[in-house]
Amino acid sequence: MSDHVYKIIEIVGSSTKSSDDAIQLAIAKAGKSVRNLDWFEVMETRGHIIDGKVAHYQVKLKIGFRLD
């Protein structure tokens, strides 16, 4: 296995469906502008409540990507 150096960024994904969907959308969007995505870590989960129901999920992620 080769040695690697990683850069870490923080992003927030959002979804009206679920926290998992917020994660998937955030990673897909990051992958359009950042190469070599390698791992992620969920840092924080939060959301909005409207009329006693969850209306919106937000998930803060750390994403690691390999530097060239």
Side-chain angles (χ1 to χ4, degrees):
M1 183 173 180
S2 301
D3 294 332
H4 297 292
V5 175
Y6 294 89
K7 171 87 174 149
I8 298 171
I9 57 173
E10 288 187 2
I11 63 173
V12 177
S14 62
S15 171
T16 56
K17 294 180 184 177
S18 68
S19 57
D20 287 342
D21 192 51
I23 293 168
Q24 295 291 337
L25 292 170
I27 291 171
K29 184 72 169 184
K32 290 181 181 181
S33 59
V34 179
R35 294 180 318 203
N36 302 322
L37 297 182
D38 217 24
W39 57 268
F40 74 94
E41 178 181 355
V42 174
M43 302 303 297
E44 195 174 305
T45 303
R46 61 181 172 264
H48 295 113
I49 300 170
I50 297 175
D51 296 327
K53 296 180 182 176
V54 176
H56 199 163
Y57 300 86
Q58 289 185 331
V59 180
K60 181 178 177 182
L61 305 169
K62 282 187 180 179
I63 296 181
F65 60 95
R66 288 185 320 278
L67 298 177
D68 291 332

